Amino acid sequence: MTDDRLQWLVDRSEISETVIRYFRALDLQDWPAMRATLTDTLDLDFSELFGDPREVVASDDFVGAAPHRMGGFRATQHISPNHVITIDGDSAEMTAYMNAWHVVEGPDGIEQTYVLRGSYDITMRRMSDGWRMSRLRMRVWHETGNKDVFRLSAERYAALHAAAN
C-alpha cells in the first residue's frame, strides 16, 4: 500500500469519526464535544427543515444556541451511516445519510415524537488538531410525527432553567 493510499484511509476514517462525534455530542447534549467538531465559523443551511435562510455563523454562537433548541428533549438519536467522502488535500466534501429521532414530553404530559430522514452535505477542513466541519447543509427526504417538538423542547428547556434559578 502506498503512503498516499494509507493517508487517504486515515483521513477518511477521521472525517467519518468527526461526523459521528458531532451527532453523538448532540444526543448526549455535550456542547463542548460538539464544538470540538467545528471550525470557528460554520456555513449552515437548515432551510429544508426550518425554513431559515443559509447563513454563516460563529460556531460558538451556534453551539451556545443548541441547548435552547435541543436541551428540552427527553431523548434524541441521530444516526449517520453511508458516508461518501472526497478528499482534496486539507479539505473534504462528504454526504452523510441521516436518521434523527426526537422525543419530548408535551405540556399535557403526552410524549411527542418526530423522526427525520435525509442527508447532510458537509465540508470539512483539516486543522492542527484534526478534521472539523465548516459547512452543514441538511437535505430532508422524509418526516413523520410532530415537528412542533423543537418548540416544545425549547419551552421545556426554558421552564427547567427558570425553575432552577
Side-chain angles (χ1 to χ4, degrees):
M1 180 177 295
T2 66
D3 287 345
D4 289 344
R5 186 72 176 151
L6 181 58
Q7 184 61 54
W8 181 88
L9 288 170
V10 169
D11 287 340
R12 187 188 189 296
S13 177
E14 290 176 358
I15 290 165
S16 185
E17 181 71 16
T18 300
V19 172
I20 292 167
R21 285 187 299 112
Y22 170 83
F23 286 118
R24 182 176 186 271
L26 184 59
D27 290 337
L28 294 175
Q29 298 184 15
D30 183 345
W31 312 123
M34 183 174 147
R35 176 61 182 91
T37 66
L38 307 172
T39 56
D40 288 340
T41 59
L42 189 59
D43 182 341
L44 291 175
D45 186 350
F46 291 160
S47 58
E48 289 188 27
L49 178 63
F50 296 118
D52 300 335
R54 177 182 171 192
E55 63 180 335
V56 176
V57 299
S59 292
D60 289 340
D61 293 341
F62 174 69
V63 173
H68 300 279
R69 177 172 270 171
M70 303 297 291
F73 283 111
R74 184 178 61 74
T76 62
Q77 183 181 50
H78 293 79
I79 300 172
S80 178
N82 299 4
H83 297 166
V84 177
I85 302 168
T86 303
I87 302 167
D88 183 12
D90 291 338
S91 65
E93 299 291 329
M94 75 180 297
T95 299
Y97 282 22
M98 172 262 302
N99 185 347
W101 171 82
H102 309 78
V103 62
V104 65
E105 184 177 316
D108 55 4
I110 297 174
E111 190 174 270
Q112 301 292 314
T113 61
Y114 173 69
V115 178
L116 172 68
R117 291 176 185 88
S119 66
Y120 279 95
D121 296 326
I122 302 170
T123 300
M124 307 285 289
R125 301 277 178 249
R126 186 193 318 265
M127 310 299 286
S128 61
D129 60 348
W131 288 92
R132 291 183 178 222
M133 295 185 286
S134 62
R135 180 179 67 99
L136 286 169
R137 179 181 183 192
M138 179 188 287
R139 299 201 181 254
V140 176
W141 301 343
H142 182 261
E143 301 169 272
T144 186
N146 183 358
K147 191 173 183 173
D148 204 33
V149 295
F150 294 101
R151 180 187 60 80
L152 295 171
S153 172
E155 289 174 358
R156 183 169 180 262
Y157 178 83
L160 290 171
H161 282 77
N165 293 327

